[in-house]
Amino acid sequence: MRSWRLEIGGLVKDKRPWTLERINAQPKVSQITRHVCVEGWDYIGKWSGIHLRRFLETIGADLTAKYVSFECADDYSGSIDMASALHPQTQLATDYADQPIGVPYGYPLRLRVPTKLGFKMPKWITAIEVTNEYPGGFWEHRDYNWFSGL
């Protein structure tokens, strides 16, 4: 996965791509939170990574913008509102149960938003964009509720 890069776009000052090494060099936070799937199942687990807020501040994102959108390696896309992006529990996760997340769970990077349903947490993230234009997402374009909060 040495060739993986996180592309940055939109309303940010620093659009340089990020490597996994650079992400892992940021201060990590861990939290034990519940994951709730729209299909009705849930589980509690320990996720670690970097606060999305801290990441957005680091790249000089316009924190007054409306949305943060995510593109993924599997052509999935998703987006959240800026208030959810800045929530203290929202993170770009790199680890689960103190180990790097595996490929089925989003390696090398996935979004964790414990205040949202699971489909709002894209896996295999390859690009992040800060925007004022409604970006929707894979399921949102199929009439799922965009906000999908718990």
Side-chain angles (χ1 to χ4, degrees):
M1 199 44 91
R2 291 209 180 272
S3 64
W4 178 87
R5 296 284 184 269
L6 177 64
E7 300 297 326
I8 306 298
L11 303 172
V12 299
K13 292 179 183 168
D14 185 353
K15 295 182 180 176
R16 289 178 295 163
W18 281 60
T19 63
L20 184 57
E21 292 76 21
R22 187 172 174 202
I23 289 170
N24 283 328
Q26 302 301 305
K28 280 195 177 181
V29 294
S30 295
Q31 58 187 340
I32 297 173
T33 54
R34 183 175 172 216
H35 180 96
V36 180
C37 182
V38 71
E39 296 172 336
W41 56 267
D42 68 304
Y43 69 93
I44 295 172
K46 181 180 179 185
W47 295 91
S48 302
I50 61 175
H51 277 146
L52 182 54
R53 178 185 195 113
R54 182 181 180 95
F55 179 79
L56 293 172
E57 290 171 344
T58 300
I59 63 173
D62 178 354
L63 301 183
T64 67
K66 294 180 180 179
Y67 310 104
V68 180
S69 69
F70 304 87
E71 296 294 326
C72 304
D74 63 346
D75 293 324
Y76 190 85
S77 63
S79 62
I80 58 175
D81 60 295
M82 185 59 78
S84 294
L86 300 178
H87 189 280
Q89 288 184 305
T90 302
Q91 66 180 204
L92 293 174
T94 56
D95 300 311
Y96 179 75
D98 297 321
Q99 298 294 318
I101 55 176
V103 172
Y105 305 106
Y107 181 84
L109 190 67
R110 74 172 293 156
L111 182 66
R112 284 288 304 144
V113 190
T115 59
K116 303 281 186 191
L117 291 171
F119 78 89
K120 296 299 289 183
M121 299 179 228
K123 301 186 271 187
W124 310 292
I125 298 172
T126 57
I128 295 176
E129 181 178 8
V130 176
T131 182
N132 283 316
E133 303 292 322
Y134 173 69
F138 180 86
W139 288 111
E140 294 82 352
H141 295 309
R142 289 159 178 79
D143 296 326
Y144 277 60
N145 179 280
W146 177 79
F147 190 73
S148 295
L150 297 176

